[in-house]
Amino acid sequence: MARAMFEYTKEILTKVSFDVTLFCKEVQKAISRLLPYELEELKLFIVFLSKQNPHLIASLTYLK
């Protein structure tokens, strides 16, 4: 079940990547839902996504 939540979170983050504010809100929700090792994977996913959308790099501050 937890893995499904991680995949769902990635899908949502990809869909809202056009808006930094909305993206950051979804990252905050993900922090409360995901397991610690999934948060590390999420961090890598956001770094990957921010290569395509550099404005998203600011959201990494929530994961530190």
Side-chain angles (χ1 to χ4, degrees):
M1 179 73 167
R3 195 68 191 168
M5 184 57 74
F6 178 69
E7 293 301 323
Y8 175 74
T9 299
K10 286 182 8 181
E11 184 178 327
I12 295 297
L13 290 176
T14 303
K15 288 181 180 181
V16 300
S17 63
F18 65 91
D19 182 11
V20 177
T21 305
L22 190 54
F23 189 87
C24 289
K25 286 181 183 179
E26 291 298 327
V27 168
Q28 289 175 329
K29 287 182 190 177
I31 290 170
S32 66
R33 293 182 187 143
L34 298 178
L35 299 171
Y37 72 91
E38 290 174 325
L39 290 176
E40 290 300 317
E41 289 183 49
L42 182 66
K43 190 176 187 180
L44 294 174
F45 174 74
I46 292 174
V47 168
F48 171 76
L49 198 58
S50 67
K51 291 183 188 213
Q52 298 168 353
N53 304 307
H55 61 280
L56 299 176
I57 201 74
S59 65
L60 284 174
T61 57
Y62 294 106
L63 292 171
K64 292 184 180 183

